[in-house]
Amino acid sequence: SSHIFGNWNVCGKVMGLAPWMESSWKNGKIKPTPIEEKIFEGSLYDDDFKINRQILSGLPFFARNDPDLFDEKGNLVREQKYDFDHDTYEPLTKMDSGIIDPMDEKRLPTKVALDAIALASRVQLDLEEVVLDFVKHFKEQTSEKNLCLAGGVALNSVVNGRICRELGFEQVYVPPYPGDDGIAVGCCAFGLFGNKALGKPATVTPWKKPLTPYLGPTYTDLQMRRELDRVAPWVEWEAFRREDEIINRVVQEITDGGVVAWYRGRSEFGPRALGHRSILADPRKKPLVRYINQRIKQRETFRPFAPSVIADLADEWFDLPIDSGISSPYMSITAEVLSNKRARVPAITHVDGSSRLQTVREEDSPLYFKLLSAFYLKTGVPMILNTSFNTLPGEPIVESPKDAIRSFLHAQGSIDMLVLGDYIVKRKAPDFQSLLGEYTSDDLVIKEASNPRRPGDAIFESSFRLSSVQTPETEEQDEQSIVHRVKMPDRPLHDEQNGGWFELFDELESEMLAAFDGSIGIDGFLSKYLKLFSNQEYEELDEAKQSAYEEERDYMLEQVLNRLTRLYHHTLLHW
């Protein structure tokens, strides 16, 4: 994980990268080269386990800047080393001209991505063999029929899936929090129930079944409404008191190709979104994989997505031994999508035909089960694409209503709808009619123009930036630019990363933010740059001066409106 991504704590990305080993591009001309030498070898119970660290020697992959990351002028064009698509990928959208949107162009894997795929595949295969050997050994030693897994490796759903299918346990239990976070539950259990081995008697009756994963705090309708009121300039909402109405609206949005943020009930404990803090979409629409990865989650395009599936129907779609008592309520097991079903749910079928699924029962999550059932009734598909509700890079799954609204706004319209408790929330488009006002031909006011304003105090900073630039025609030289940025802690999208600073497009944006405090409108701002004429004064101008005035005014107005739109979307201004 550290070698490939520069982060020791993203092991799940390594697991998601490994299945690409069997893929190829351009009729087999581009493909990863297998690593034949094992990284993990031996058994964990005989003290002959070995790690071959030589394979990881040299420059880490995340630090490599291979030539294919740059264009012919030496400019870095592939900041995301691991952005690539399947060889059969087709762009999601095309512009009116028929030219493919650059954001949607098919991307081939870079050299470092191919090497990373090979390394991920090797370490995943070795991990599977070592863990299966270890578990099989102790199953034979103890004759136990049931298995409980704990520890960070138990988050590797591919390993868990193989254990379920291949080792013959009657039941396999993986808690929703097998990693270090689950220690909190263990400490709680120890305090409540004691430990016979340590001579500490139980003080209360032990739990009869595993704890629900939905252990987060409860937020009231009043708390949600307060947060909505706080962002009222940027969103609109409708309250529903009947669950059926919300579910019908969500199902319709998803089947229409929309993406929905779902925030209902208490949050999940553990790293997986299990239907209370989720982003939901239609599993039948393959282009949504790139769309959600790139535009919503802002992460590598190779990453797969998981389905939430009605538990009793899971074995009709996945190679999962449901009849044996093995299920995946916490998204802990990867199973093969049945070959005759893969074409129907391509958005949750990984490149190797697998899927890390969550099986949902009505008694565990009644409302989420109801949503899945409504989608099944409408489409004949008993599952929905489910990924964690977090859109800001480096941040965890949203917890509070404030977190949910901020994450929804950060998606910049890529999430079509937010379900926040009993509210359905949508983003407002900037109202330019309100901004410009309405007037008669003789300058009488029909509707006063609104004055833009900042949502709070602002701190501005301007600095010089020097960067080295070299082209084939010129020698290396320093290029100087001025950087304008602002810090506004009261805006809904304020982000403490990078010290809370937001980089502005240019000096004009900086001047607009400084001027628009609610006391002046667009005309007042434009009057700083050009003389504005009333209708009567305009009529007194000759034709040439009218044309010149219109051209200058329209150009300046266009520049201001473009920047107002950007500043509005980033919650730096409203009106």
Side-chain angles (χ1 to χ4, degrees):
S1 176
S2 297
H3 194 79
I4 296 173
F5 298 106
N7 185 341
W8 67 271
N9 200 27
V10 292
C11 300
K13 290 166 69 169
V14 178
M15 180 181 67
L17 188 60
W20 288 90
M21 187 64 209
E22 301 304 317
S23 299
S24 63
W25 295 262
K26 287 196 170 182
N27 296 318
K29 294 178 182 177
I30 300 176
K31 58 183 178 181
T33 302
I35 298 174
E36 302 296 342
E37 197 173 356
K38 289 188 175 183
I39 298 175
F40 301 152
E41 197 167 12
S43 64
L44 294 170
Y45 49 86
D46 281 339
D47 293 329
D48 66 343
F49 179 70
K50 299 180 182 64
I51 302 177
N52 182 358
R53 301 186 187 277
Q54 288 298 114
I55 294 177
L56 303 180
S57 62
L59 187 68
F61 289 173
F62 78 89
R64 271 176 44 182
N65 286 324
D66 295 343
D68 58 356
L69 296 173
F70 298 84
D71 63 16
E72 64 277 3
K73 294 183 178 180
N75 299 312
L76 183 64
V77 294
R78 290 292 296 269
E79 294 182 10
Q80 290 280 6
K81 294 181 174 69
Y82 307 122
D83 267 354
F84 56 87
D85 302 295
H86 193 274
D87 198 38
T88 59
Y89 170 79
E90 293 183 2
L92 177 66
T93 60
K94 289 191 177 183
M95 295 185 286
D96 292 338
S97 64
I99 302 172
I100 297 172
D101 185 334
M103 286 191 70
D104 292 323
E105 287 181 344
K106 179 179 175 179
R107 296 180 184 176
L108 300 175
T110 59
K111 175 64 168 66
V112 69
L114 293 172
D115 291 344
I117 291 170
L119 179 59
S121 175
R122 180 73 268 169
V123 76
Q124 175 67 33
L125 286 172
D126 291 350
L127 176 69
E128 292 171 25
E129 294 305 317
V130 168
V131 172
L132 262 69
D133 175 67
F134 179 76
V135 175
K136 181 180 179 182
H137 171 78
F138 283 100
K139 180 176 186 289
E140 293 171 350
Q141 293 288 311
T142 63
S143 299
E144 289 289 347
K145 298 178 180 178
N146 301 315
L147 175 68
C148 178
L149 294 171
V153 173
L155 287 169
N156 193 302
S157 57
V158 177
V159 170
N160 298 343
R162 287 194 61 186
I163 289 173
C164 291
R165 291 189 300 272
E166 298 177 24
L167 296 189
F169 286 102
E170 292 182 3
Q171 295 186 83
V172 176
Y173 175 70
V174 185
Y177 30 74
D180 290 346
D181 44 359
I183 293 173
V185 176
C187 290
C188 176
F190 179 80
L192 284 172
F193 310 135
N195 189 311
K196 292 181 181 179
L198 299 178
K200 185 180 187 318
T203 56
V204 295
T205 303
W207 295 319
K208 298 294 185 181
K209 61 180 182 179
L211 290 179
T212 172
Y214 307 112
L215 296 172
T218 299
Y219 295 95
T220 65
D221 183 86
L222 179 61
Q223 288 173 302
M224 294 181 189
R225 182 57 187 262
R226 283 175 177 168
E227 291 302 328
L228 288 172
D229 288 339
R230 188 176 66 88
V231 297
W234 298 278
V235 302
E236 55 192 8
W237 63 87
E238 188 177 356
F240 294 86
R241 298 309 174 202
R242 291 182 54 214
E243 291 178 350
D244 288 347
E245 292 179 312
I246 294 176
I247 287 174
N248 290 338
R249 289 279 295 272
V250 170
V251 169
Q252 188 62 54
E253 185 69 46
I254 291 175
T255 54
D256 286 345
V259 178
V260 175
W262 178 262
Y263 181 100
R264 295 279 306 205
R266 299 171 67 174
S267 61
E268 302 90 337
F269 181 29
R272 312 289 193 216
L274 302 174
H276 284 204
R277 301 288 187 275
S278 294
I279 293 173
L280 307 176
D282 194 331
R284 302 171 300 166
K285 296 178 169 60
K286 179 66 172 178
L288 285 170
V289 174
R290 161 78 92 91
Y291 181 82
I292 297 173
N293 271 327
Q294 182 170 276
R295 302 195 183 210
I296 296 177
K297 306 283 280 187
Q298 298 179 42
R299 65 187 193 182
E300 301 91 347
T301 55
F302 75 82
R303 305 275 293 276
F305 288 107
S308 296
V309 57
I310 296 172
D312 289 342
L313 301 174
D315 59 350
E316 297 179 13
W317 291 76
F318 302 92
D319 182 16
L320 187 70
I322 298 289
D323 292 341
S324 66
I326 297 172
S327 60
S328 183
Y330 311 130
M331 209 176 282
S332 306
I333 292 172
T334 291
E336 293 289 314
V337 183
L338 296 179
S339 58
N340 63 334
K341 302 288 190 180
R342 292 177 187 178
R344 295 189 64 186
V345 286
I348 57 86
T349 303
H350 201 12
V351 66
D352 62 344
S354 67
S355 189
R356 186 190 71 198
L357 69 159
Q358 174 199 6
T359 52
V360 181
R361 301 184 305 170
E362 185 174 12
E363 56 265 38
D364 295 330
S365 187
L367 183 62
Y368 194 45
F369 180 87
K370 199 172 183 180
L371 174 63
L372 295 176
S373 300
F375 185 82
Y376 176 47
L377 185 64
K378 186 176 181 67
T379 66
V381 175
M383 70 191 79
I384 287 178
L385 183 153
N386 169 22
T387 187
S388 58
F389 186 5
N390 54 329
T391 66
L392 284 91
E395 292 204 357
I397 302 174
V398 300
E399 169 55 44
S400 67
K402 182 178 180 180
D403 297 334
I405 292 169
R406 178 167 167 261
S407 193
F408 171 65
L409 288 172
H410 184 264
Q412 297 296 325
S414 297
I415 297 177
D416 300 280
M417 174 192 292
L418 164 64
V419 176
L420 185 76
D422 292 334
Y423 299 95
I424 287 182
V425 186
K426 294 197 172 185
R427 184 146 193 172
K428 280 183 184 176
D431 182 1
F432 291 120
Q433 187 63 56
S434 169
L435 192 64
L436 298 172
E438 294 184 56
Y439 303 88
T440 64
S441 59
D442 52 353
D443 291 332
L444 293 178
V445 176
I446 299 175
K447 182 179 180 182
E448 286 282 358
S450 301
N451 294 343
R453 66 171 64 244
R454 301 182 304 271
D457 295 336
I459 302 169
F460 296 91
E461 180 182 276
S462 297
S463 59
F464 291 97
R465 177 183 292 163
L466 290 175
S467 54
S468 296
V469 177
Q470 183 177 8
T471 68
E473 295 80 22
T474 63
E475 295 182 359
E476 184 173 325
Q477 55 186 351
D478 288 336
E479 186 177 89
Q480 179 177 294
S481 59
I482 301 176
V483 178
H484 303 278
R485 58 183 191 167
V486 65
K487 183 188 293 186
M488 201 179 297
D490 291 333
R491 75 183 182 105
L493 280 178
H494 176 70
D495 186 359
E496 279 301 329
Q497 293 188 51
N498 194 30
W501 291 103
F502 178 84
E503 189 167 319
L504 299 171
F505 184 70
D506 57 13
E507 187 175 0
L508 180 57
E509 281 195 347
S510 184
E511 292 177 357
M512 290 169 62
L513 282 175
F516 287 135
D517 57 2
S519 63
I520 66 169
I522 283 187
D523 284 350
F525 182 77
L526 288 176
S527 66
K528 297 182 177 183
Y529 296 91
L530 70 160
K531 177 175 173 54
L532 298 177
F533 296 106
S534 66
N535 286 335
Q536 182 177 349
E537 291 171 327
Y538 174 79
E539 294 296 335
E540 295 172 357
L541 299 174
D542 61 39
E543 187 174 337
K545 288 183 178 179
Q546 284 182 353
S547 178
Y549 168 69
E550 289 176 3
E551 185 176 344
E552 184 179 12
R553 182 199 61 193
D554 291 348
Y555 172 79
M556 195 64 202
L557 181 61
E558 181 183 13
Q559 298 303 308
V560 170
L561 290 179
N562 285 341
R563 285 158 178 77
L564 276 171
T565 301
R566 189 177 109 91
L567 296 174
Y568 173 83
H569 285 317
H570 289 282
T571 66
L572 289 156
L573 282 177
H574 64 88
W575 54 87

